Amino acid sequence: MKHFILSFIALLFFVFESIFAQLFASDVFGADKILVPRFIMIFVFFLTMFGSRKIGMLYGAILGLTYDAVYTEILGVYMLLIPFLAYLISKCMKILQNNILISCLVALLFTAVLEVVIFQMNIILSFADMGFAEYMDRRFVPTLLLNLVFIIISCYPLKRIIEKLDLQGELE
């Protein structure tokens, strides 16, 4: 039952992320700004912080592969990057206090890391044609602001749901 609930939540975020990207395209917030919702990644980050590292990495790999198959041209980038970032988050949260403010800041930091790594991968593969300064202005800052709002709205409810499911000891 636990994994059914988590899978349902992940599906909701996946669908909501797609709907958000379609409805609130760049022309709503300004023609020169690019907003990229990272709701699935944030869900995996919170799952790792408040649940279990293994569950977070497993969901990260599955959702990353799904994200690659649906949205990107190359399979494997998100499938490898999201579980790796989930692993790093689990290590960071062993050092840091696990309160809601720190969790929000860590989720935002790792969303920023994800964005920069994806941009660099796109530069290497010649999929991006903008410079780093233009990227920071047009995509990075608006994307971080959007995802910060999502983190603030969803952090406490996700924390409560994940802690209620008691994922510690799963997959052991």
Side-chain angles (χ1 to χ4, degrees):
M1 187 66 173
K2 294 176 185 181
H3 294 290
F4 175 75
I5 293 170
L6 287 176
S7 298
F8 182 72
I9 293 169
L11 178 65
L12 284 176
F13 283 142
F14 196 84
V15 170
F16 181 64
E17 184 174 311
S18 177
I19 290 170
F20 187 90
Q22 292 293 324
L23 290 178
F24 299 104
S26 62
D27 58 334
V28 173
F29 296 104
D32 64 333
K33 303 297 180 196
I34 301 170
L35 298 167
V36 181
R38 297 291 186 196
F39 305 152
I40 288 293
M41 289 66 170
I42 293 167
F43 168 70
V44 170
F45 296 162
F46 284 143
L47 185 59
T48 304
M49 283 185 242
F50 303 126
S52 153
R53 177 182 72 210
K54 291 180 182 180
I55 297 291
M57 291 176 66
L58 176 66
Y59 273 80
I62 293 168
L63 292 170
L65 178 61
T66 306
Y67 196 90
D68 280 335
V70 172
Y71 295 118
T72 65
E73 296 89 15
I74 299 173
L75 292 179
V77 174
Y78 287 95
M79 184 183 77
L80 296 173
L81 188 58
I82 296 171
F84 177 70
L85 291 176
Y87 176 78
L88 291 178
I89 283 176
S90 72
K91 294 301 181 185
C92 285
M93 293 314 286
K94 288 184 180 188
I95 297 169
L96 301 171
Q97 294 177 0
N98 198 0
N99 65 40
I100 201 114
L101 177 64
I102 298 296
S103 299
C104 289
L105 291 175
V106 168
L108 185 66
L109 173 71
F110 277 89
T111 303
V113 169
L114 176 82
E115 277 297 311
V116 170
V117 170
I118 293 299
F119 175 70
Q120 291 302 321
M121 290 294 294
N122 286 332
I123 291 291
I124 290 169
L125 298 172
S126 299
F127 290 150
D129 59 350
M130 66 174 79
F132 192 73
E134 182 183 3
Y135 163 77
M136 293 297 284
D137 181 52
R138 288 188 61 204
R139 180 175 168 161
F140 184 76
V141 173
T143 296
L144 278 188
L145 291 175
L146 167 69
N147 288 299
L148 176 62
V149 170
F150 178 75
I151 287 169
I152 291 169
I153 292 170
S154 67
C155 184
Y156 186 72
L158 278 176
K159 180 180 188 294
R160 297 282 295 165
I161 291 169
I162 293 168
E163 287 177 346
K164 188 174 183 180
L165 292 174
D166 190 29
L167 298 172
Q168 296 299 326
E170 290 282 320
L171 294 179
E172 300 281 339

